[in-house]
Amino acid sequence: DAKTTQPNSMESNEEEPVHLPCNHSTISGTDYIHWYRQLPSQGPEYVIHGLTSNVNNRMASLAIAEDRKSSTLILHRATLRDAAVYYCILRNQGGSEKLVFGKGTKLTVNP
Amino acid sequence: DAGVTQSPTHLIKTRGQHVTLRCSPISGHKSVSWYQQVLGQGPQFIFQYYEKEERGRGNFPDRFSARQFPNYSSELNVNALLLGDSALYLCASSLLAAHYEQYFGPGTRLTVT
């Protein structure tokens, strides 16, 4: 399973942008980059995914490096509700359903 | 719309006992996966079922088994419980066998004493 590396923790202030980095130097050409987050006392929830191009949705933006060896999840204006553990996951196109979670980045949002 | 539901919410068992955890996927979802999350770690994949057939199995002992019913709900069974089985057990459902988005339930917190 392709591996990702994320910082253990990050801190942000409310209403400021947050950039959550992820390194995936062994990514293959058919691996999609997925982000999930897990709020306290809840199951993980899907945030966003992408292959090569930057992606935007209502929750966040995903910026993917040109060589695809790293990516950044961007929360444009952090709220207290965004405090969670964020997981960066690689999934092979056409591969199995399973998600391989690392330890993720625990994001703390200060009021 | 109802999300993924799991029962029970919490459970306390004794070493050596067995346990059955239940999961109801989102309506229309045919794929169900099970994960184990130990405190401080990310979830670890246990099983995936799609259309009532096992599609994937993680690195867990044979004490762990699962099945999926005709209505796509699923059960996870764990026999001969060990203290190390104490964890949050998560169920996730998705539309297809390898859809990009999985929807997780709130989990069942199992404590083995």
Side-chain angles (χ1 to χ4, degrees):
Chain A
D1 297 319
K3 297 207 180 294
T4 62
T5 304
Q6 300 177 252
N8 290 334
S9 62
M10 290 186 65
E11 222 171 301
S12 172
N13 295 320
E14 203 174 4
E15 298 191 6
E16 290 184 355
V18 181
H19 290 231
L20 296 163
C22 180
N23 288 319
H24 28 77
S25 58
T26 59
I27 191 170
S28 74
T30 52
D31 282 335
Y32 281 79
I33 302 157
H34 290 247
W35 284 82
Y36 278 72
R37 72 179 186 180
Q38 188 170 19
L39 279 63
S41 302
Q42 295 187 26
E45 66 173 340
Y46 167 82
V47 177
I48 200 166
H49 79 288
L51 183 62
T52 56
S53 304
N54 295 342
V55 184
N56 301 297
N57 68 19
R58 63 176 180 81
M59 288 182 70
S61 296
L62 176 59
I64 302 172
E66 201 167 325
D67 64 6
R68 300 209 326 125
K69 293 186 177 182
S70 65
S71 60
T72 303
L73 180 71
I74 303 166
L75 306 179
H76 295 285
R77 288 184 68 204
T79 68
L80 296 178
R81 213 188 153 276
D82 291 321
V85 178
Y86 286 79
Y87 298 99
C88 171
I89 299 167
L90 301 182
R91 275 185 80 188
N92 192 268
Q93 180 183 11
S96 73
E97 170 112 327
K98 76 173 184 179
L99 297 171
V100 180
F101 290 85
K103 288 190 176 182
T105 297
K106 183 176 181 179
L107 175 66
T108 300
V109 180
N110 300 312
Chain B
D1 287 343
V4 177
T5 58
Q6 293 186 242
S7 63
T9 306
H10 296 88
L11 201 53
I12 299 175
K13 290 286 190 177
T14 304
R15 273 178 301 177
Q17 288 186 318
H18 72 272
V19 68
T20 298
L21 310 180
R22 295 178 174 82
C23 171
S24 291
I26 291 172
S27 177
H29 285 195
K30 298 180 179 180
S31 176
V32 170
S33 298
W34 288 93
Y35 292 80
Q36 179 196 65
Q37 186 172 25
V38 175
L39 202 60
Q41 305 290 322
Q44 300 299 306
F45 173 78
I46 309 175
F47 284 110
Q48 184 212 354
Y49 277 77
Y50 179 72
E51 288 278 19
K52 293 160 283 182
E53 290 190 3
E54 182 181 307
R55 284 293 193 96
R57 183 183 185 117
N59 189 23
F60 281 81
D62 291 344
R63 299 185 295 107
F64 288 76
S65 64
R67 56 179 175 167
Q68 187 177 34
F69 298 98
N71 66 354
Y72 303 112
S73 66
S74 178
E75 281 183 356
L76 176 70
N77 294 284
V78 187
N79 293 324
L81 285 167
L82 304 174
L83 295 179
D85 296 330
S86 295
L88 180 68
Y89 288 84
L90 295 159
C91 173
S93 77
S94 64
L95 273 171
L96 305 173
H99 197 254
Y100 70 87
E101 184 171 358
Q102 292 190 38
Y103 295 81
F104 284 81
T108 294
R109 172 71 62 187
L110 173 65
T111 302
V112 182
T113 62

